[in-house]
Amino acid sequence: MRSRRIGFKLPKIPSSEITSESAYLCRREFMKAGSLLFAGGLVSGGSIPAFSSVSGSEVALPEGWALGSSDALTPYEDVTSYNNFYEFGMDKSDPARYAHELTLSPWQVQIEGEVEQPRTINLEDILAATQEEERIYRLRCVEAWSMVIPWNGFSLAEFIRWLKPTSKAKYVYFETAYRRKEMRGTRSFSSVIDWPYREGLRLDEALNPLAFMATGLYGKPLPAQNGAPLRLVVPWKYGFKSIKSIVKIRFTETQPKTSWQGIAPHEYGFYANVNPDVDHPRWSQRYERRLPSSLWNPNRIPTQLFNGYGEFVADLYKGMNLARYY
Ligand SMILES: Nc1nc2c(c(=O)[nH]1)N[C@H]1C(S)=C(S)[C@@H](COP(=O)(O)O)O[C@H]1N2
Ligand SMILES: [Mo]
């Protein structure tokens, strides 16, 4: 895979077209973080960067490159060695051990359904059509652990606008590669998933500026165990929505069936918004373990509604009963 230069690129959009909301976020987050990179906010293409952030691996992360006192970045080691990627096994260490068996190049994404031009697109063409950005987001797994990850990638909304769904499209469905030869977890008899791994979003959720497609982390190409070469990141939802190694995107009129709904529909819903008030049937969601954590330093912190991104996403769910639509 061609590795793209990581770093700030001048915006394609003229600043006159930048929404007041993103301008607001930028100003606000600039004041808070004092840098181009923020968790909770987004990097608008139109913001004027204070500095060009990480440039590949040549430049070390600046001191204090974090979201706030309680939100230090999770070390690269932890982000890349403690993973859920059941295609490679059920243990947290399996993906780091086996995901390199997946062939990442060439990589294509099939676009189908309610879209102007159904087609198969090379990853390179997707990267050329989108604007690279960096986002620091919290990732909250439904299992009640969490991390803070600096992603590289591009806005899902920008990608979707480029794909041009039809007016009938109400949802977007994603599918992970399913290659039995390269994914040892899919050959396992104990696997509970009906492969391929499937996920979906309501179209308006997918168009929210926070929804992101990651191609890298910590300024480096995305490690295989984190879903290379292309994975979704939806920071206000439980981690299982953030589907990895995407090969298919389908725009649909009706709500797609997701893998976790198929496994246990009463435990894992379509929405899966992070919510401390809606417990998993088998455990509380009130707290989470912020990694790295240990027996001696459990690093237990309260879970926030929408993983702390409510000011950007709560409107999507206005009037909805979040306990019913979990
Ligand atoms: N294809 C696929 N995508 C997946 C998963 C998976 O098993 N298969 N696990 C999900 C879960 S449960 C979580 S918490 C995140 C973990 O992402 P990370 O390993 O990059 O931290 O990936 C999500 N995406
Ligand atoms: Mo998860």
Side-chain angles (χ1 to χ4, degrees), residues 235-307:
W236 70 95
K237 292 178 179 283
Y238 290 120
F240 66 84
K241 299 296 289 183
S242 293
I243 181 173
K244 295 177 170 180
S245 305
I246 295 166
V247 293
K248 186 180 284 187
I249 298 178
R250 183 188 302 142
F251 294 94
T252 64
E253 284 190 77
T254 54
Q255 186 174 300
K257 294 256 176 344
T258 68
S259 287
W260 284 98
Q261 282 180 299
I263 296 161
H266 53 290
E267 299 190 359
Y268 309 101
F270 178 80
Y271 283 94
N273 290 314
V274 174
N275 191 336
D277 299 326
V278 178
D279 286 341
H280 186 281
R282 290 183 281 129
W283 60 84
S284 162
Q285 294 291 23
R286 204 149 279 290
Y287 290 89
E288 64 200 58
R289 272 185 309 124
R290 175 62 55 83
L291 301 184
S293 80
S294 65
L295 271 181
W296 300 272
N297 177 18
N299 217 9
R300 199 161 165 267
I301 59 172
T303 288
Q304 306 177 71
L305 180 60
F306 300 118
N307 204 20

Side-chain angles (χ1 to χ4, degrees), residues 19 21 29 40 43 50 83 89 98 104 109-110 117 160 164 180 186 205 210 214 231 242 248-249 305:
T19 66
E21 190 200 23
E29 294 296 340
V43 182
N83 301 99
Y98 302 121
L104 299 179
V109 182
Q110 202 176 320
Q117 192 197 344
I160 288 178
K164 297 198 172 76
R180 289 177 61 86
T186 67
E205 297 180 309
L210 258 53
R231 63 92 57 88
S242 293
K248 186 180 284 187
I249 298 178
L305 180 60

Side-chain angles (χ1 to χ4, degrees), residues 122-184:
N122 293 324
L123 179 63
E124 287 74 17
D125 297 326
I126 296 173
L127 300 184
T130 52
Q131 172 83 36
E132 170 134 10
E133 296 177 32
E134 293 154 330
R135 307 261 182 106
I136 303 175
Y137 281 151
R138 290 178 286 273
L139 174 86
R140 172 43 158 100
C141 177
V142 74
E143 299 162 338
W145 52 265
S146 65
M147 302 196 194
V148 182
I149 305 176
W151 300 104
N152 307 96
F154 52 88
S155 144
L156 177 60
E158 188 194 353
F159 181 37
I160 288 178
R161 274 186 225 109
W162 179 67
L163 293 175
K164 297 198 172 76
T166 70
S167 59
K168 283 188 181 162
K170 296 286 175 289
Y171 295 88
V172 53
Y173 162 86
F174 302 86
E175 217 173 85
T176 295
Y178 174 33
R179 300 189 197 146
R180 289 177 61 86
K181 281 200 184 121
E182 299 185 357
M183 297 173 140
R184 58 179 71 213

